[in-house]
Amino acid sequence: MPEIRSTVDTDEVARFSALAADWWNPRGKMAPLHKFNPVRIGYVRDQAALRFGRDTKKLDSMKGLRILDIGCGGGLLSEPLARLGAEMVGVDPSNTNIEAARAHAAQSGLAIDYRCATAEALAEAGEKFDIVLAMEVVEHVSDVSLFVESCASMVRPGGLMIAATLNRTLKSFALAIVGAEYILRWLPVGTHSWEKFVTPNELEIAMEQGGLRVTADQGVIYNIIADRWQLSSDTDVNYMLVAERA
């Protein structure tokens, strides 16, 4: 059997594994992700509703959809989507993170299929999903093209891939690195490497090479007055792309 190629960056895995105990602490080191969570949950729900003809007003609007959350960490995204009725599979290369996710899901009474694995391994096994999520993970892998190719291959015909990441611009360096890590201390120093940020054009090309077609792009900005993240046309720093398989 040929060895499965991997896009896992071991340094990145170690960095996030060290934060495993803090995943569900809204005032801890993951506080920025907790604040960011509502806007990405809403966006995923709305895109799923558009694609699969669901009513977002229903509490189980994602019932019957099999969704993969790649780089799930402690399950901050997987749990809310499971509550909306989705059949969730959460995958992370860190066993420490997966153990934290399983423990919290058990406390919450949620049945989520958490696995310590990689996108490449799941793709090799022939796994298929209605929606593949790569949220805040593209900028942490060692090979973006291979990672996106693996994720795209798991999207069923008619399904979606949604990715959220950081644009590689001078503005993102100033805000996401200098501002967020060194000045405001929202994130531990070293959380991100600016050179690993991915432009929307680069991500779109990778998705298209994986056989998908990008159908939407969306910027996300922090509203300092309202103290919350919100959708925006500005993709200079944080953005999301949606792609479909015909």
Side-chain angles (χ1 to χ4, degrees):
M1 292 286 292
E3 183 179 352
I4 298 174
R5 294 179 295 170
S6 175
T7 64
V8 172
D9 184 319
T10 55
D11 290 338
E12 297 275 16
V13 173
R15 183 178 297 112
F16 284 97
S17 293
L19 300 172
D22 225 24
W23 275 107
W24 287 95
N25 180 2
R27 295 180 180 83
K29 294 178 180 178
M30 294 299 180
L33 196 53
H34 281 268
K35 281 193 173 183
F36 192 66
N37 222 21
V39 73
R40 63 179 186 167
I41 293 167
Y43 190 72
V44 170
R45 178 203 61 205
D46 292 349
Q47 289 298 319
L50 285 172
R51 185 63 176 170
F52 300 102
R54 304 302 180 88
D55 184 353
T56 57
K57 295 180 181 178
K58 291 186 176 181
L59 296 178
D60 62 349
S61 65
M62 302 188 81
K63 186 176 182 179
L65 296 179
R66 189 170 192 245
I67 300 179
L68 173 63
D69 182 11
I70 284 286
C72 65
L76 296 188
L77 185 59
S78 292
E79 285 202 14
L81 296 180
R83 289 192 181 92
L84 288 172
E87 178 190 340
M88 292 302 304
V89 177
V91 171
D92 199 281
S94 165
N95 189 58
T96 307
N97 286 340
I98 289 298
E99 288 178 353
R102 286 172 177 164
H104 197 274
Q107 293 173 3
S108 304
L110 295 170
I112 297 174
D113 182 3
Y114 283 119
R115 310 179 193 178
C116 182
T118 65
E120 298 77 50
L122 265 67
E124 184 70 18
E127 294 270 8
K128 298 294 179 183
F129 300 87
D130 297 298
I131 302 175
V132 173
L133 302 175
M135 312 296 275
E136 291 74 51
V137 65
V138 175
E139 69 272 21
H140 297 292
V141 302
S142 62
D143 185 330
V144 172
S145 296
L146 176 58
F147 175 78
V148 173
E149 176 188 337
S150 299
C151 290
S153 72
M154 293 186 281
V155 178
R156 288 173 175 161
L160 298 175
M161 177 177 173
I162 305 176
T165 189
L166 288 150
N167 198 350
R168 193 175 63 256
T169 62
L170 291 177
K171 186 174 177 180
S172 72
F173 181 81
L175 296 180
I177 302 292
V178 178
E181 295 185 16
Y182 287 88
I183 298 176
L184 298 175
R185 298 290 180 173
W186 282 354
L187 298 167
V189 172
T191 297
H192 291 114
S193 298
W194 182 79
E195 63 272 12
K196 295 181 73 173
F197 288 2
V198 182
T199 69
N201 185 57
E202 290 168 346
L203 186 53
E204 181 172 355
I205 289 172
M207 286 176 160
E208 290 179 346
Q209 289 176 339
L212 306 180
R213 183 178 71 89
V214 172
T215 58
D217 65 330
Q218 182 69 63
V220 185
I221 63 170
Y222 178 68
N223 185 326
I224 194 169
I225 297 175
D227 188 28
R228 64 180 175 85
W229 290 89
Q230 63 187 41
L231 300 180
S232 167
S233 59
D234 184 351
T235 60
D236 288 348
V237 184
N238 294 83
Y239 70 94
M240 294 183 280
L241 287 189
V242 181
E244 65 178 11
R245 183 176 295 284

